[in-house]
Amino acid sequence: MAKQYWLMKSEPDAYAWDQLVHDGTGMWDGVRNHTAKLNMMAMKVGDEAFFYHSNIGKECVGIMRVTEESFPDPTAEPGSPWVVVRVAPVRALTHPVTLAAIKADPKLADMDLIRQSRLSVGRVTPDEWKHILKKSEKAEG
C-alpha cells in the first residue's frame, strides 16, 4: 500500500512541535471526534503527517512519521472507542506554512483542513503534500 499523508493538529500550549522533538516520540492522544478517530485507524507505520499548531500560530510547522499504528487511547474511559497512534518527528519545515497561506492557495482549496476546519486529524493528498512542502521552502509560503 502506498504511503498516506495526514495533517494532525495540536494546540501548542498543550503539546507543541518542540515538545515532540524533545521527547523523540509521542502518543497522539485525546482525539474525541469519530472522523479523526477513523483517520487515525487508517494510518500505517511509515505514513507521514504535518504537525499543525492550532489556535495559536495556525500553521504547519513540522513533519512526523507514524511509528505505531492505532491502539486504545489510555487517556479515555475503558471500553470507549478512542484510539491513539505513536509518532516521531522527521524534521521541522524550513518555514511554517500558515493557514492564511493555505486558504489563499486555490490548489489547496479541497484540503480537509479547509473543508472540515474543526477536524483535528485529516487526510492530505500526495499533491497537497508536495505543494505544502514547496510552499515551506520560502518565507510566507
Side-chain angles (χ1 to χ4, degrees), residues 7-8 14 17 24 26-27 29-30 38 40 43 46 58 60 65 67 69 73 77-79 93 110 121 124 129-130 139:
L7 183 143
M8 301 171 77
W17 167 256
M27 185 173 62
D29 60 12
L38 292 172
M40 290 172 61
M43 292 178 178
K58 296 185 181 180
C60 295
R65 181 170 291 117
T67 59
E69 294 173 18
D73 186 338
E77 292 292 320
L93 295 179
D110 289 330
V121 178
V124 176
W129 183 265
K130 289 178 206 160

Side-chain angles (χ1 to χ4, degrees), residues 20 33 52 63-64 72 84 120-121 134:
L20 176 63
N33 171 283
Y52 179 88
I63 298 171
M64 313 179 278
V84 299
S120 62
V121 178
K134 186 168 180 61

Side-chain angles (χ1 to χ4, degrees), residues 3-126:
K3 181 190 291 190
Q4 300 178 96
Y5 299 99
W6 309 93
L7 183 143
M8 301 171 77
K9 296 179 181 179
S10 181
E11 296 177 18
D13 55 344
Y15 192 73
W17 167 256
D18 289 342
Q19 187 64 50
L20 176 63
V21 171
H22 176 267
D23 295 347
T25 186
M27 185 173 62
W28 209 266
D29 60 12
V31 173
R32 300 295 184 265
N33 171 283
H34 286 286
T35 301
K37 173 196 74 169
L38 292 172
N39 284 340
M40 290 172 61
M41 291 174 72
M43 292 178 178
K44 301 295 179 206
V45 170
D47 285 358
E48 291 186 330
F50 288 121
F51 190 116
Y52 179 88
H53 280 164
S54 62
N55 294 341
I56 303 166
K58 296 185 181 180
E59 58 193 5
C60 295
V61 295
I63 298 171
M64 313 179 278
R65 181 170 291 117
V66 176
T67 59
E68 188 175 346
E69 294 173 18
S70 66
F71 58 95
D73 186 338
T75 69
E77 292 292 320
S80 69
W82 309 116
V83 299
V84 299
V85 294
R86 193 168 299 281
V87 295
V90 174
R91 68 173 177 88
L93 295 179
T94 305
H95 300 283
V97 179
T98 66
L99 177 61
I102 291 169
K103 282 183 170 182
D105 192 323
K107 292 182 179 178
L108 301 173
D110 289 330
M111 281 189 76
D112 280 358
L113 176 66
I114 305 303
R115 292 185 311 100
Q116 298 176 289
S117 62
R118 299 198 38 89
L119 187 62
S120 62
V121 178
R123 291 182 180 272
V124 176
T125 69

